[in-house]
Amino acid sequence: MHEAPRLRNFVASDPKQKKPKTPADLAFAAIAIAEGATVATGNHAHFDEIHASFPLPGRYNPFKDIWSVTPGVGGP
């Protein structure tokens, strides 16, 4: 995921930013894909970008009670 051109913005920070980026969202997504787990997050913008390149098995926003990617068989 770190090498996917579309996701490079998760790794490389703009020097003008006050807060440096970390690739944590990529790590969470990779673990979810490997384990077939749902990502629960309120930050759907980042995970929309990741999902476009690496489909997530499930994605849920607990703050709005919305499934943006409904898990398949064996889900919650």
Side-chain angles (χ1 to χ4, degrees):
M1 287 184 176
H2 288 256
E3 296 303 318
R6 185 176 184 162
L7 302 177
R8 292 295 297 163
N9 63 322
F10 285 92
V11 181
S13 293
D14 182 347
K16 298 174 188 172
Q17 284 182 313
K18 291 181 182 178
K19 184 177 177 183
K21 289 186 178 183
T22 66
D25 288 344
L26 294 179
F28 296 143
I31 292 167
I33 291 167
E35 297 295 326
T38 295
V39 174
T41 181
N43 185 355
H44 275 256
H46 283 180
F47 288 95
D48 284 342
E49 289 182 56
I50 295 168
H51 181 70
S53 297
F54 298 92
L56 297 167
R59 193 172 52 188
Y60 176 68
N61 184 334
F63 303 106
K64 296 183 179 179
D65 192 25
I66 296 172
W67 286 93
S68 56
V69 176
T70 305
V73 177

